[in-house]
Amino acid sequence: MEYSIDRFAAMTESAIAALKYPATAPGLYEPIKYALASGGKRLRPALCLAVYAALSHRDPAEVINQALAVEMFHNFTLLHDDVMDCADIRRGRPTVHRRWGENAAILSGDAMLTMAYGLLTDNAGDKFPALFEEFNRTAMEVYQGQQLDMEFENRSDVTVAEYIEMIKLKTSVLLGCACRLGAIAAGAEASVCDSFYAYGVAMGLAFQLRDDWLDTFGDPAIFGKEIGGDIINKKKTWLLINAMAEMPDELPAILAEDLEDREKIRQVTAAYRSLHLDHRCSELANRYSADAITALGNVALDKDALAFFTALAESAATRNH
């Protein structure tokens, strides 16, 4: 069995290209096609496919619809998030609501959610109740995470623990869900499903903390976008929350000062470095990556599968883009 992100991503891309859309009301589906064609790492469907293959030793294409369900749901949340955030650009292209309007983004997003459930049920057999329960629980947690993220925008007292809980709900649980869906479909025991879920959640936390790091300390030529956006938008990240707690006078003064964007980014980044937050954030991401690998300790995997999941968890904490 070949385990590689490229292989699983290619399977996902082919399945997305093969999706059939109703002929009625084509304007409903054009934004969906546009959103799905904008790329992304396809990490969530890849996890579903890889876990199924590793545990069942069968063709991962057998769960391609369940993998697509996760990817469809993920992109549905992005459509709605971009409306709520008034975001103009997503993956280097105009967001759906900028191109077609907010009403279209909301309605097409709703359609994507319904399509996700349709994909989840396709060829699910007797595994459907367990798949459905997991998908529903995760969806509600993602919505809770988004609500917390919105509430944090108007708070200056967000704690690190609250932030970790928010990114767990908004980002990590969907990676855990993708893993558990693959394990359920493979007929794995509950303990194995739980182990893979814990793997996905821990990896997701490492992934998001690395994202925070990259937005401030990354190389824009490799990262793919200008750094410092989180600083300019005063986004509650692990870095900002810690700095606000440890520099309660200096940092708010910098953020409140009428500075050009480049100078504000320079000063805030310097403050972060003075607190060694760049190293501390990397260390925490590495710890979550190690937690993900540890979660697989009781799962019987062949050497190729174990090497794949280990490398994937490590890359979540060390990636450059």
Side-chain angles (χ1 to χ4, degrees):
M1 176 70 68
E2 176 194 353
Y3 294 94
S4 76
I5 282 291
D6 289 344
R7 179 196 178 200
F8 296 127
M11 289 178 63
T12 302
E13 296 293 352
S14 295
I16 287 173
L19 285 171
K20 303 297 183 184
Y21 298 89
T24 304
L28 176 66
Y29 303 105
E30 286 305 314
I32 297 174
K33 296 175 185 178
Y34 177 83
L36 291 174
S38 63
K41 296 177 175 62
R42 308 301 191 200
L43 177 59
R44 294 156 189 83
L47 283 170
C48 182
L49 296 168
V51 171
Y52 178 81
L55 296 177
S56 70
H57 305 289
R58 296 169 63 93
D59 185 351
E62 294 176 358
V63 292
I64 190 62
N65 287 327
Q66 284 68 43
L68 282 184
V70 179
E71 185 69 0
M72 186 73 75
F73 177 85
H74 172 58
N75 281 274
F76 140 71
T77 66
L78 298 183
L79 257 67
H80 283 192
D81 284 2
D82 286 341
V83 172
M84 288 183 274
D85 295 343
C86 299
D88 295 330
I89 302 295
R90 167 72 64 180
R91 296 167 180 161
R93 303 197 302 173
T95 52
V96 166
H97 76 95
R98 287 301 180 204
R99 181 164 176 177
W100 282 279
E102 290 186 2
N103 289 344
I106 293 169
L107 186 60
S108 293
D110 291 344
M112 293 178 82
L113 176 59
T114 304
M115 291 173 68
Y117 276 100
L119 288 163
L120 182 72
T121 64
D122 200 7
N123 297 323
D126 62 358
K127 304 296 191 305
F128 170 70
L131 295 170
F132 188 73
E133 180 181 2
E134 176 64 20
F135 203 80
N136 269 352
R137 181 182 60 79
T138 300
M140 293 305 300
E141 289 179 334
V142 172
Y143 306 151
Q144 291 166 15
Q146 175 64 11
Q147 178 65 33
L148 291 175
D149 195 19
M150 292 190 299
E151 291 175 1
F152 288 178
E153 292 177 7
N154 300 314
R155 287 180 52 192
S156 59
D157 61 344
V158 178
T159 67
V160 171
E162 288 178 310
Y163 177 72
I164 294 297
E165 178 65 12
M166 184 274 288
I167 63 173
K168 174 185 175 183
L169 292 169
K170 186 174 178 179
T171 300
S172 298
V173 296
L174 191 56
L175 274 69
C177 172
C179 291
R180 200 196 294 271
L181 293 180
I184 290 171
E189 296 180 356
S191 62
V192 173
C193 294
D194 291 344
S195 292
F196 261 116
Y197 180 81
Y199 167 86
V201 169
M203 186 174 68
L205 291 171
F207 190 95
Q208 185 58 54
L209 287 166
R210 185 63 176 177
D211 216 49
D212 290 358
W213 188 95
L214 285 169
D215 194 86
T216 299
F217 302 107
D219 182 341
I222 300 174
F223 189 35
K225 62 180 181 180
E226 293 298 317
I227 63 172
D230 288 346
I231 292 173
I232 297 304
N233 294 319
K234 300 178 183 179
K235 185 174 177 61
K236 301 299 190 305
T237 65
W238 186 92
L239 297 166
L240 180 63
I241 292 167
N242 276 282
M244 292 285 281
E246 297 173 32
M247 301 179 70
D249 298 320
E250 300 93 326
L251 194 66
I254 295 173
L255 294 173
E257 194 173 350
D258 185 18
L259 300 170
E260 292 186 356
D261 287 353
R262 184 174 298 179
E263 178 60 18
K264 182 163 291 189
I265 292 169
R266 188 193 70 77
Q267 291 194 26
V268 173
T269 301
Y272 288 170
R273 289 191 187 279
S274 73
L275 297 170
H276 306 291
L277 290 175
D278 50 340
H279 299 300
R280 290 159 59 189
C281 185
S282 291
E283 289 172 357
L284 183 57
N286 284 327
R287 287 204 295 273
Y288 281 120
S289 173
D291 287 345
I293 296 167
T294 299
L296 299 180
N298 295 323
V299 180
L301 296 169
D302 64 43
K303 63 180 181 63
D304 291 337
L306 182 59
F308 169 80
F309 289 115
T310 298
L312 197 59
E314 290 173 345
S315 69
T318 58
R319 64 193 175 87
N320 292 317
H321 59 84

